[in-house]
Structures are given as structure tokens and as C-alpha cells.
Amino acid sequence: MLAAWRLSQRAVTFIPRVRSQTLNPLPMAAAAAAASPKRLRVYSSVSGDGRSANGAGSGKRVGTHNGSFHCDEALGCYLIRLTSQFAGADVVRTRDPQILDTLDAVLDVGSVYDPSRHRYDHHQKGFNEVFGHGFNTKLSSAGLVYKHFGKEIIAKELEVSEDHEDVHRLYLAIYKSFVEALDAVDNGINQYDTDQPPKYVNNTHLSSRVGRLNPDWTDPDQSPEKENAAFQQAMMLAGSEFMESVRFHVKSWLPARSIVLECLLSRGKVDPSEEIMVLDRFCPWKLHLFELEEELKIDPLTKYVLYQDERSKSWRVQAVGVAPDRFESRKPLPEKWRGLRDDELSNDIGIPGCVFVHMSGFIGGNKTYEGALEMARAAIKC
């Protein structure tokens, strides 16, 4: 007979409802799962008659392995329960193949990747699935679930159809900024191509924090109930940070991208060189600028970005870096300007209202927009 299911020590509400204030309000906890009052329940398999203790949440059961858990299956189990098909599903933790065969979906165990049967393991020989769209990191169970259900989850958060252009943009952006790192860590992929040891240890990332939720080896209680309760915590930790990432991308990332795109396409109105961009409203712009220039094949590349400092109301002239994570600038402000301030700087370069130029030449300031623009134009010619 098949094994029975043991209920974990307690049930927790799956996810809170929070609304965003941008685009369509986020109905927080992707519509399918959030609309269901079902509780998250985690079971371990034990010898018995194959029944589910106290019944099942939605009739659906999602399986993953028992024992020590990692971030990928914790997030994968969270994500799949956000879908219409698996909303409110119970989570069964076992390695018993007979039990796994009876479940509606299986993550991170079973040595099978077959989305037609909702089998999402990545440990088997010959598995080399990647996300695509230019990403080449081998997927973990979290990446597999996201690959197949990410658009559905995002579309429900935005309350739009899956073919909406913003859904696709967020689908790629959230994989790049959140999911891909979890895939890489779980598959043992180094962040840098080097044999040099790291200069410091970072144990504060999400995968490490989820790992620390495993019962400590010194804890006298090593029961399945204790382990399952910890796995519930891991699901909630990984899932809540995923939803924070979604909310950030909806509330901040998408609007900023739209602003930068509009300003990038208006460079010709600012200066004939098309190398100066003016942000008519300040927002995070650096990463968007690099991505949009590459996506749109922009030529020439932007050398300076002008924006108003909200506190002083003066204007900044910032040199664009050679890459988002590099300090070197494409065209730093002229060396002879650097370190000068106020009247000394204005008298030296013949532009009134100058405030400063940083010693590295990556940024300068002027009291007015017109003065900042003249500084940028003069720097282009140097």
C-alpha cells in the first residue's frame, strides 16, 4: 500500500495580500493562489495506507524531497502554488518513487524533467536546460518552474494577459535579477571565471539564508515535523523575497525604464551630437540606459546624463560609465576641470554658475540647466 501523509506541526497562511500603487494594483499573492483561502500544508511520507491526513488543501499535491532543503525547491514550491493549476496544493516531502509517481507535480527529485507531466528535476545525467532569451545558466528546480509558469504568475500580478509586452519584459528582468543567481548557486556555477579565491565571504544571500533554516545538527529534535516546519519557513522566505522583487519591478523598474527610453529617444532635441541625455524626471537610469542602448542599437552612445538634484535644485552632469558595474567613464569630464569649484571653475571654463567637478571627472554640477548643458557640450568637444 502507498504511504500515508503526516501533517506538519502547523499550517500557515500562504501569503499576505498587499497592493502596489502603480500600473494595475498588485493583487499580491498571484491571483490564483491568493484568491484561494487554502492553507499551506507540508507532509512527510510514512508507512501507512496512502491517505492524506485530514484531507488535502485543494486536492492537488506537489512533491519535493525530504531531508536537507535548498533555496531552489523552496522557491519552486512557492511559485507553483501561485498558479491556477496548483493553487492551494499540499506539499509532500519524500524520496519514495512510488509516492512521487502519484503526485500532481514533482520538483527537485525523481531524476525526470518532463513539463508535460509536471516533473521538474535537474539532477539527472544529461540535463542541460537553460532559460533561453540569451541566458545560459543551467536551471535549478526554481528556474524550471519559473520558465514554465513565470509569465502566468506575473500576468496575474499585473492583471493583464500573458501576451502583454510588460509581462515579457518583467519575465526576463526578474529572471536576470533574482532567479538566475539561485539557479547558479544550486548548480555550483561560479560567478566569475577565475581560479583566484574570493577576497571575502558572502553568506548573506538568499540561498545561504534559506540553508540556515535547516534544523541545526545540535538540535535534539530532528523529526520530520521539525524539518517540515522549517521548510515552510524557507518557502515563505524565498517566496516573500520573490514577491518583493516583482513589486519592485512593477512599481519602480518599469516606470523608470519608460522614462529613460523616452529621454534616450529625445537626445537629438537636446544637442545635435546626440551624446547628451536629459532626465526630465530623476529615476534610476544607469542599468536601463545600458540595456536600452544595446537593445535599440543606439549609435552614438550617450556620454553624459543631465538631471536635477532634488535637494539643492542645481543640475548634475554625470559621465556615463563604460559598463554598469565599472567606475571608468566613457568620456570623463575634462581633466583640467577636475577638483575646481564655484567661481574658480566658472572663470576657468567660461561657463557661469558652475558648482564643482569631481576629482575623477565622473560628475559635475551647475546652478542651472542651461549651465549644465553648456558644461556637457564643452566636454563633448574636448
Side-chain angles (χ1 to χ4, degrees):
M1 300 295 291
L2 295 177
W5 319 109
R6 179 182 298 165
L7 182 61
S8 67
Q9 290 179 314
R10 61 189 176 90
V12 297
T13 303
F14 186 56
I15 186 168
R17 291 179 65 88
V18 178
R19 288 189 175 271
S20 171
Q21 298 178 346
T22 185
L23 301 181
N24 291 325
L26 283 179
M28 190 44 209
S36 170
K38 306 295 188 300
R39 301 275 181 160
L40 166 60
R41 301 194 296 177
V42 179
Y43 302 89
S44 288
S45 59
V46 295
S47 59
D49 60 5
R51 293 172 298 174
S52 175
N54 298 325
S58 66
K60 295 285 188 179
R61 295 179 301 182
V62 173
T64 189
H65 60 82
N66 58 350
S68 295
F69 52 77
H70 301 97
C71 190
D72 70 314
E73 71 265 23
L75 179 61
C77 287
Y78 184 100
L79 293 180
I80 203 167
R81 294 182 81 253
L82 295 181
T83 67
S84 297
Q85 188 170 356
F86 295 101
D90 288 348
V91 176
V92 181
R93 302 184 70 238
T94 181
R95 293 184 183 273
D96 188 325
Q98 287 186 298
I99 296 171
L100 293 173
D101 284 345
T102 70
L103 303 180
D104 300 288
V106 176
L107 284 62
D108 209 48
V109 67
S111 299
V112 176
Y113 169 52
D114 183 356
S116 69
R117 296 192 294 125
H118 298 299
R119 266 50 187 168
Y120 303 105
D121 196 11
H122 66 110
H123 296 98
Q124 59 274 21
K125 183 178 180 180
F127 177 88
N128 291 298
E129 189 76 9
V130 298
F131 188 67
H133 307 285
F135 297 97
N136 298 307
T137 300
K138 182 179 175 181
L139 298 180
S140 67
S141 59
L144 287 171
V145 172
Y146 185 81
K147 179 173 183 173
H148 292 284
F149 295 104
K151 285 187 178 181
E152 177 189 346
I153 293 168
I154 292 168
K156 287 174 180 174
E157 290 299 323
L158 291 177
E159 296 183 327
V160 297
S161 64
E162 287 187 38
D163 59 2
H164 192 284
E165 62 180 0
D166 284 345
V167 171
H168 184 69
R169 288 195 185 107
L170 288 175
Y171 179 63
L172 300 182
I174 292 169
Y175 182 77
K176 179 178 182 178
S177 66
F178 190 92
V179 181
E180 185 178 22
L182 306 183
D183 287 338
V185 169
D186 197 77
N187 284 302
I189 300 172
N190 290 327
Q191 190 172 9
Y192 300 102
D193 292 326
T194 177
D195 294 328
Q196 296 298 314
K199 294 184 177 180
Y200 57 88
V201 174
N202 178 14
N203 287 324
T204 62
H205 55 75
L206 180 58
S207 294
S208 292
R209 286 182 282 122
V210 166
R212 286 197 293 272
L213 292 176
N214 280 282
D216 191 87
W217 69 275
T218 62
D219 192 334
D221 184 0
Q222 297 289 323
S223 66
E225 289 84 1
K226 180 69 175 285
E227 189 178 277
N228 291 339
F231 186 71
Q232 288 183 350
Q233 289 183 279
M235 286 180 62
M236 297 304 295
L237 173 61
S240 64
E241 294 204 10
F242 173 84
M243 296 310 302
E244 286 175 8
S245 178
V246 173
R247 290 196 297 272
F248 162 77
H249 279 83
V250 172
K251 182 179 180 180
S252 178
W253 187 90
L254 269 178
R257 184 185 188 279
S258 297
I259 291 171
V260 175
L261 174 60
E262 182 178 353
C263 295
L264 178 61
L265 297 178
S266 300
R267 295 184 310 167
K269 299 177 182 179
V270 175
D271 186 75
S273 70
E274 296 190 336
E275 295 179 276
I276 303 170
M277 185 179 85
V278 176
L279 283 176
D280 50 21
R281 175 184 174 188
F282 182 80
C283 65
W285 56 268
K286 294 180 184 178
L287 185 59
H288 291 296
L289 178 61
F290 283 98
E291 290 181 346
L292 286 167
E293 285 182 332
E294 181 178 357
E295 178 183 326
L296 301 175
K297 309 300 181 186
I298 294 294
D299 185 36
L301 297 176
T302 306
K303 305 302 188 300
Y304 302 108
V305 174
L306 276 58
Y307 55 87
Q308 189 173 32
D309 183 280
E310 291 297 325
R311 289 171 293 184
S312 67
K313 301 303 179 182
S314 62
W315 280 78
R316 297 287 182 260
V317 185
Q318 186 161 342
V320 179
V322 296
D325 56 351
R326 297 283 297 276
F327 293 109
E328 301 93 332
S329 301
R330 290 173 175 172
K331 189 174 178 62
L333 293 169
E335 187 170 1
K336 65 179 181 178
W337 299 3
R338 300 176 199 175
L340 301 181
R341 298 188 61 87
D342 303 321
D343 290 342
E344 182 182 9
L345 177 59
S346 291
N347 294 334
D348 188 77
I349 66 177
I351 299 174
C354 290
V355 178
F356 76 100
V357 170
H358 192 273
M359 283 296 297
S360 68
F362 90 97
I363 195 169
N366 194 286
K367 295 178 181 178
T368 68
Y369 163 74
E370 291 78 13
L373 181 57
E374 285 304 309
M375 290 176 70
R377 285 173 170 167
I380 289 287
K381 297 175 182 176
C382 288

